[in-house]
Amino acid sequence: MIAVLALLAGVVLGLWLDPTVPAALQPYLPIAVVAALDAVFGGVRAKLDRIFDDKQFVVSFISNVLVAALIVYLGDQLGVGGQLSTGVVVVLGVRIFGNVAAIRRHMFRA
Amino acid sequence: MADPVERQAPAPPVEPAESVVVEPAGTVAGVWWRRFGSATVMIAALLGLLGFTLAVQLKTTSTDSSLAAARQEDLVRILYDLEARESRLRQDVATLEESQRQLRSGEQGRQAALAEASRRADELGILAGTLPARGPGLAVRFEAGSKPISAFRVLDAVQELRGAGAEAMQISGGDRASVRIVASTYFLDGENGSLVVDGRRLTGPFTITVIGDPATMRTGLNIPGGVVASVAQDGGNVIVEDREVAEVSALHKPRTLEHARPVG
């Protein structure tokens, strides 16, 4: 409940403040957001599996974001930033799909 | 590049961590924070941050046109494409300008040729007697004395005028009938002192209207033993008048050529 409220509060705050993303962050922000989404869906799934652990969620959330940003940064340094960020998005997308499928099984028994 | 990344990447964890660490010192915050436990607050902060960045990112992507959000290598590629396109278009422009120049010079040449041709046509028309002409010249009036003016005298006068540079001539009789004098014009003696010019009968007195340099032609007519003198010998009279604008308006009907063909 608190998590959903916090999410909504963040969205509202983002829409209301309307900050501009610094140019240096622009390549990493979308990847970080996708990584965080992956962690959130993983958390929801764990909650439904009744194996949710606060500490694990926080650590996975932060490490997801950090690793995703790091990979993109590394890709940029190697000159394959575009391809590597695509790869990261694909991997995270597959994971999100898997998590969502598990959530769906829990909620609809299908 | 490395610096902002290092700063950016830890940003999500650092902020909530700090708030978590600092907040116990506060009184009100500390109360509700203790109620839920540190992990819950942390999760809430992380999710809030996620929502915030999500909204910001969505907004940035929707407001930004494609270029501002594009990566550096994409921009380089786009720039390269644009440069290639620009050079291609520049070549097109050069080619088109060249062909425009050619067409224009061709048109100018055609116009010059046309002007030259029409000028020549005018000249030849005046020479052949198919076009009316006007210009400075003389009116030469033959008045018969005891003997009528003979065709020979008139022809003599015409030749003299031609020799003096006459450019267009016509002869008119007493009844104002006019005949253009061209290269093929002939003069015959008619009855009762009349004159047959190119098949038309003219009655006296005759007037030759001629376009050319008046002074030269007047001198040509007045030379000793010339036209004026000969006519005066026959008792006639030749009156030569200068004309500012001599009108040669009679036209010669051109003959249709049956045998002669232009060469070339």
Side-chain angles (χ1 to χ4, degrees), chain B residues 64-157:
Chain B
D64 264 10
S65 58
S66 56
L67 283 187
R71 315 178 72 81
Q72 193 178 350
E73 56 253 48
D74 290 345
L75 289 174
V76 169
R77 191 178 43 75
I78 291 169
L79 184 65
Y80 180 77
D81 285 354
L82 285 176
E83 269 171 2
R85 182 140 172 264
E86 190 206 4
S87 75
R88 235 184 4 258
L89 290 176
R90 221 174 265 283
Q91 271 179 1
D92 283 1
V93 167
T95 317
L96 289 174
E97 269 174 356
E98 172 70 11
S99 67
Q100 185 206 30
R101 207 179 50 73
Q102 280 176 354
L103 286 174
R104 186 160 291 172
S105 72
E107 190 201 18
Q108 275 175 356
R110 229 176 12 251
Q111 274 178 353
L114 190 65
E116 173 68 15
S118 71
R119 196 183 58 79
R120 273 181 68 84
D122 285 350
E123 275 180 11
L124 292 174
I126 289 170
L127 273 181
T130 54
L131 288 176
R134 71 166 57 171
L138 299 177
V140 185
R141 196 170 145 87
F142 293 84
E143 284 179 347
S146 51
K147 281 202 273 181
I149 303 292
S150 70
F152 175 72
R153 293 280 174 245
V154 175
L155 181 62
D156 208 16

Side-chain angles (χ1 to χ4, degrees), chain A residues 3 6 10 25 28 33 54 66 73 76, chain B residues 2 5 8-9 39 44 47 54 71:
Chain A
L25 292 191
Y28 308 105
V33 167
D54 292 349
L66 277 181
Y73 167 69
D76 268 346
Chain B
V5 173
Q8 177 274 334
L47 283 174
L54 193 66
R71 315 178 72 81

Side-chain angles (χ1 to χ4, degrees), chain A residues 35-88:
Chain A
L37 275 179
D38 173 47
V40 168
F41 279 110
V44 172
R45 180 191 178 176
K47 192 92 179 171
L48 292 172
D49 283 342
R50 296 177 208 292
I51 54 167
F52 182 77
D53 180 54
D54 292 349
K55 199 178 140 203
Q56 197 188 356
F57 174 73
V58 171
V59 170
S60 79
F61 187 103
I62 293 169
S63 71
N64 253 10
V65 169
L66 277 181
V67 169
L70 192 72
I71 288 176
V72 176
Y73 167 69
L74 210 63
D76 268 346
Q77 297 305 305
L78 294 175
V80 289
Q83 295 91 314
L84 213 50
S85 51
T86 308
V88 169

Side-chain angles (χ1 to χ4, degrees), chain B residues 2 18 42 68 74 77 97 114 130 135-136 155 164 171 184 192 239 257 260:
Chain B
E18 267 178 359
M42 187 92 169
D74 290 345
R77 191 178 43 75
E97 269 174 356
L114 190 65
T130 54
L155 181 62
I171 183 165
S184 61
N192 305 327
I239 303 162
L257 298 179

